[in-house]
Amino acid sequence: MSERTDPPEDLIGGGVVVAVVGPSGAGKDSVMNHARERLGDLAKDVSFVRRVITREANRNTEDHDSVDEEKFQRMVAEGAFAAHWFANGLSYGLPVSMDRFVEGGGIVVANVSRAAIVQLRQRYAYVLPVVITAPADVLAERLRKRGREGTEAIAERLKRAEASELAVEGEMTIVNDGTLDEASEKFIAALRKARAWSDVADSL
């Protein structure tokens, strides 16, 4: 992370958006949920964003707000999203309500696509990308255990993941190939860096 400077006046400053990216099977939700239970003194400063997705909610997927594509596009037109993107046949959005938390100096954690980072950086002064990933064989095994896709679909996901592993400026990387405790501690360390950024903004 580079040193912070005064944000452009047209961007939302004060707090930090921690943009979590990584391939399917990396365990992003598991790491974030495990870390959320262990935030300690960070808890009051951190908000985990609930995404809007054009996918039915069920026990095998993350907790999210489900809408159909027609309603999603209406929400886009109404300015309901701080960022939105399309991936793997689905539309995803982050609620515009996160603006208020960032303005108040808070740390917002969002699970996003790499493409969404560009949108976030056009809206917020301080965005910290955190990559959660794992070796290819670990990703493949986790996807098989998840049981949502067949062999060909898993191979296609792994191919897309490899093709999209372009570095994002200022990113931090967590390799989740050990225990959840280990990965979540690294994630909490990233949140502490984000809070240090926020503390600097408060002192300006």
Side-chain angles (χ1 to χ4, degrees):
M1 293 169 64
S2 58
E3 292 184 3
R4 287 182 59 150
T5 57
D6 292 342
E9 293 183 359
D10 59 340
L11 297 182
I12 299 171
V16 180
V17 176
V18 175
V20 181
V21 299
S24 295
K28 298 185 294 293
D29 290 327
S30 296
V31 171
M32 288 190 290
N33 289 335
H34 202 66
R36 189 185 332 205
E37 297 172 357
R38 292 159 175 75
L39 288 179
D41 63 309
L42 276 174
K44 64 181 181 1
D45 300 321
V46 179
S47 175
F48 289 77
V49 174
R50 183 181 174 92
R51 301 191 296 183
V52 177
I53 309 177
T54 55
R55 175 177 62 201
E56 291 296 322
N58 62 61
R59 289 179 297 177
N60 295 320
T61 61
E62 65 162 297
D63 187 23
H64 63 272
D65 292 329
S66 296
V67 299
D68 60 26
E69 186 63 32
E70 182 179 356
K71 182 174 181 180
F72 188 94
Q73 293 306 323
R74 285 202 306 271
M75 294 175 74
V76 170
E78 293 166 357
F81 298 126
H84 62 90
W85 64 96
F86 185 82
N88 302 317
L90 299 169
S91 294
Y92 298 77
L94 302 179
V96 73
S97 57
M98 62 188 273
D99 286 0
R100 294 194 299 273
F101 200 78
V102 176
E103 287 172 337
I107 302 162
V108 169
V109 179
N111 183 353
V112 304
S113 164
R114 283 179 180 267
I117 293 176
V118 174
Q119 293 182 52
L120 292 171
R121 283 180 163 162
Q122 290 172 344
R123 188 180 187 91
Y124 301 102
Y126 307 113
V127 177
L128 169 60
V130 175
V131 181
I132 298 178
T133 189
D137 58 331
V138 175
L139 296 176
E141 180 61 22
R142 288 174 181 168
L143 289 172
R144 281 193 291 270
K145 287 182 177 179
R146 193 165 66 176
R148 297 207 319 243
E149 298 160 311
T151 302
E152 290 185 5
I154 289 173
E156 185 60 33
R157 273 193 178 273
L158 292 174
K159 187 184 300 183
R160 287 198 302 268
E162 184 178 356
S164 66
E165 285 299 308
L166 298 175
V168 176
E169 181 184 355
E171 72 180 26
M172 297 180 63
T173 299
I174 296 170
V175 179
N176 180 26
D177 60 352
T179 68
L180 266 181
D181 282 344
E182 291 170 338
S184 65
E185 280 303 314
K186 293 175 182 177
F187 189 73
I188 290 172
L191 297 182
R192 291 195 181 281
K193 284 194 174 185
R195 186 169 69 173
W197 253 2
S198 183
D199 289 344
V200 169
D202 288 341
S203 67
L204 296 177

